[in-house]
Amino acid sequence: MNKLKADPTCNCPTCKTPIAWSNRFPFRPFCSERCKLIDLGEWASEGHRIAGEPVCGEVPGAGPGPDQPRH
């Protein structure tokens, strides 16, 4: 009575294609490298954001802004 369990499935976050959570999909939770890179680009261009207040007012290492005096 050995029953094979089906792999759990999820939808690709980019294109919503259902994929099995298995080694057949090495880019999981994405269906392909293309979808993975599209998602990465969205984060890099700030198309995706995590809601909430900024932790600090400045980005470390960004240097002074155009309206701030340089010392």
Side-chain angles (χ1 to χ4, degrees):
M1 295 240 172
N2 232 353
K3 291 185 179 179
L4 294 176
K5 291 183 180 179
D7 292 327
T9 61
C10 66
N11 291 334
C12 173
T14 304
C15 70
K16 308 301 184 223
T17 300
I19 64 163
W21 196 271
S22 71
N23 291 335
R24 293 182 308 155
F25 294 95
F27 299 104
R28 62 189 177 272
F30 303 98
C31 65
S32 65
E33 184 177 22
R34 178 181 177 271
C35 281
K36 179 181 171 182
L37 293 175
I38 289 170
D39 185 74
L40 177 61
E42 283 295 315
W43 283 102
S45 67
E46 296 185 4
H48 292 317
R49 297 181 191 162
I50 297 174
E53 295 296 319
V55 176
C56 61
E58 296 182 19
V59 176
D67 58 341
Q68 296 175 344
R70 294 178 184 247
H71 296 140

